[in-house]
Amino acid sequence: MLRRTVFLMLLAAAPAWAQTLSQTLPNGMKVIVKEDRRAPVAVSQLWYKVGSVDEQQGKTGLSHALEHMMFKGTPAVPSGEFSRRVSALGGQNNAYTNRSETVYFENVAAKNLPEVLKMEADRMANLNFSDKEFANEMSVIREERRQRTEDNPFGKLWEHIYLNSYQTPALRAPVIGYMNDLHALKADDLRQWYRQWYAPNNAVLVVVGDVDARQTLKTAERLFGAIPAKPLPPRNTVSEAAETRPASAQTESAVTRQPVLALSYRVPKLTRIDDKMPYALDVLSDVLGGNASSRFDKNLVRGRQAALDIGVNYDMFSREMPLFSIIAMPAGGTGEQELLEMIRSEIADIARNGISRTELERVRTQAAASEIYAKDSMSAQASLMGRLEARGFSYGDEAELRRRLQTVTAADVQAAARLLTPERSSVVVVQPAQVQPEYVKKP
């Protein structure tokens, strides 16, 4: 009886700490606030729906470069002051850019949230950086590219995955931009990019934490509501034919002793809630490479010891045509082509014979557990809501999306495996660079 009473008390208490409210301001900005009163902190995430797929040839890297410049000040908050003030409030802040969006986030004591939102609203409308600051920051970005792409085998691998998988320039370009473009960009290019895309009608604000949802909506409206909407430029085409001839490419890296390889397939994204294939592809990715009990790990890493590591990447919420990518590093004694055939054989086995009930139940259980763990993080909750809103869905779709993932059948997964055909595929291999022996002069 006591346990039942406690359970009913928890049910009754749930709305008090988990209320979620949203509002679209007259200028088009979406604001979502979720109450979570387990700790006196709040997470703020401001999502701008612009990333590398929105850029043009010769101007790659604009979105990422502008992310850096957003910390270079406004008349009210001079360069460097944004992060210093957040730190002085006991908080943390950062930002990131990906192919689809640019996101600015802060984690602060809930009582200091209005001050953080005030600064975010200020730099949405009043960014002001000098040509000198631009030149200095571009040097930093070029060094970042050297470290993360040119001197990193996996960074180089991912750059060549997109180059090899697509023909459309906007889909091929790396988020950080090509090095030639990073030398050619001008400060006015970034100022124009800012004026084009940084508008309330191209942004979503998500707040999760120990806040009053209604009051926080009012605060957001007071701070952001007067910023005028802007006409947005036309978007690039972000899809192309899924089936073409198989493609392959090879490059090298001086900082790896083992080859790394990627087998990628052009596959569908989720465009409507009731699409079936994207859910099946998501489950297939977990069956193949979700964890230590997945097929690749069990059969190729621990079983045949043919690979040191294998992972699977698929994002069904992608704005552009997504890739279903298998990333692997062969073990010593296993050639990359040999490992590729083993990977293809695992996929073909599912396409022919399907998966077991045990495998399907394991993936469902892991998905349910991940949902529970995600709710323990305010940042994870905010990120999922922002991602759904930025990618054309609603934060309110979360429960239905999870429900549909749980209803994927073994036959659906088998159909997804059959979709991974050679005509959709591309292969990239990064080989260890051959180091030339130093010339030693004989005495």
Side-chain angles (χ1 to χ4, degrees):
M1 181 66 181
L2 178 60
R3 291 177 62 186
R4 176 175 172 78
T5 301
V6 171
F7 177 71
L8 292 174
M9 288 173 62
L10 288 171
L11 285 180
W17 58 266
Q19 179 176 224
T20 304
L21 299 178
S22 70
Q23 177 182 352
T24 300
L25 304 182
N27 59 14
M29 180 172 165
K30 183 74 172 284
V31 183
I32 306 165
V33 184
K34 181 175 183 179
E35 297 176 354
D36 187 331
R37 301 191 181 282
R38 291 174 294 174
V41 298
V43 171
S44 166
Q45 295 183 359
L46 185 55
W47 293 64
Y48 289 96
K49 291 180 276 189
V50 59
S52 63
V53 297
D54 299 296
E55 297 165 359
Q56 306 296 326
Q57 284 183 287
K59 303 285 187 181
T60 63
L62 274 170
S63 300
H64 174 258
L66 181 55
E67 174 214 315
H68 280 238
M69 300 312 298
M70 284 289 283
F71 293 89
K72 299 307 175 182
T74 69
V77 182
S79 180
E81 275 291 293
F82 190 104
S83 295
R84 190 199 67 78
R85 292 185 187 185
V86 172
S87 180
L89 293 171
Q92 299 174 323
N93 74 293
N94 213 324
Y96 65 86
T97 305
N98 60 33
R99 293 171 66 80
S100 299
E101 57 262 332
T102 309
V103 184
Y104 301 86
F105 56 91
E106 296 83 29
N107 189 335
V108 295
K111 65 180 181 180
N112 295 326
L113 176 65
E115 182 61 28
V116 167
L117 295 182
K118 179 181 178 181
M119 291 194 295
E120 283 289 14
D122 176 46
R123 67 177 176 178
M124 176 184 280
N126 302 309
L127 181 65
N128 183 29
F129 58 86
S130 68
D131 288 359
K132 181 180 179 179
E133 285 178 319
F134 164 80
N136 290 339
E137 201 62 29
M138 290 307 298
S139 296
V140 173
I141 293 170
R142 289 191 290 269
E143 182 60 28
E144 181 182 345
R145 180 185 160 83
R146 292 186 190 98
Q147 292 180 3
R148 296 189 177 185
T149 301
E150 295 170 6
D151 295 337
N152 183 313
F154 289 98
K156 182 169 283 191
L157 179 73
W158 275 108
E159 179 161 293
H160 281 79
I161 286 172
Y162 293 118
L163 283 170
N164 197 44
S165 297
Y166 300 117
Q167 297 301 314
T168 305
L171 293 174
R172 304 183 81 200
V175 172
I176 200 168
Y178 299 117
M179 186 62 88
N180 287 344
D181 291 348
L182 297 182
H183 281 284
L185 289 179
K186 306 298 183 186
D188 281 344
D189 294 326
L190 269 68
R191 294 183 182 112
Q192 181 181 5
W193 198 248
Y194 171 75
R195 290 191 295 269
Q196 285 180 318
W197 294 106
Y198 276 53
N201 50 311
N202 197 43
V204 178
L205 174 65
V206 183
V207 174
V208 177
D210 186 16
V211 298
D212 180 285
R214 294 188 185 280
Q215 184 58 50
T216 303
L217 287 177
K218 292 179 181 178
T219 299
E221 183 172 16
R222 173 173 57 83
L223 295 172
F224 291 90
I227 302 174
K230 299 177 184 178
L232 300 175
R235 301 277 183 177
N236 289 329
T237 298
V238 290
S239 64
E240 57 186 39
E243 295 190 356
T244 60
R245 290 180 298 178
S248 62
Q250 186 166 295
T251 185
E252 63 179 25
S253 172
V255 291
T256 182
R257 295 185 178 182
Q258 283 294 106
V260 291
L261 60 89
L263 172 60
S264 301
Y265 298 89
R266 293 177 295 275
V267 294
K269 64 179 180 179
L270 191 71
T271 56
R272 302 184 316 177
I273 294 292
D274 59 354
D275 287 343
K276 289 191 67 173
M277 184 56 74
Y279 298 106
L281 286 164
D282 192 84
V283 173
L284 176 63
S285 72
D286 286 335
V287 170
L288 288 172
N291 53 55
S293 58
S294 63
R295 288 207 179 191
F296 286 153
D297 198 274
K298 182 174 64 175
N299 296 339
L300 303 185
V301 177
R302 290 180 288 113
R304 301 173 69 175
Q305 298 184 358
L308 298 176
D309 187 53
I310 305 183
V312 182
N313 291 271
Y314 170 64
D315 181 4
M316 69 176 177
F317 301 118
S318 176
R319 261 181 60 198
E320 72 272 20
M321 170 187 284
L323 296 174
F324 189 102
S325 295
I326 298 117
I327 312 297
M329 178 177 281
T334 302
E336 59 271 14
Q337 293 303 320
E338 183 182 3
L339 181 56
L340 276 168
E341 288 309 309
M342 293 181 190
I343 292 170
R344 291 187 179 108
S345 179
E346 293 291 337
I347 296 170
D349 179 68
I350 295 176
R352 286 192 306 269
N353 305 312
I355 62 172
S356 68
R357 181 182 295 273
T358 300
E359 284 179 294
L360 186 59
E361 287 302 319
R362 172 179 57 79
V363 170
R364 287 174 175 172
T365 301
Q366 290 166 348
S370 297
E371 177 183 359
I372 294 170
Y373 295 143
K375 293 184 183 300
D376 195 43
S377 166
M378 292 182 186
S379 293
Q381 294 177 66
S383 293
L384 178 56
M385 289 190 288
R387 187 158 158 247
L388 289 175
E389 291 285 340
R391 306 283 176 93
F393 296 92
S394 166
Y395 76 92
D397 294 330
E398 178 184 348
E400 179 62 13
L401 291 165
R402 294 190 186 279
R403 187 192 72 79
R404 287 182 178 272
L405 276 171
Q406 289 289 329
T407 62
V408 170
T409 66
D412 294 333
V413 176
Q414 186 175 16
R418 289 173 175 167
L419 193 71
L420 306 185
T421 61
E423 293 76 20
R424 293 175 176 265
S425 71
S426 65
V427 172
V428 174
V429 178
V430 178
Q431 295 281 7
Q434 298 297 316
V435 180
Q436 298 298 322
E438 293 184 6
Y439 174 75
V440 179
K441 185 178 180 180
K442 293 183 179 181

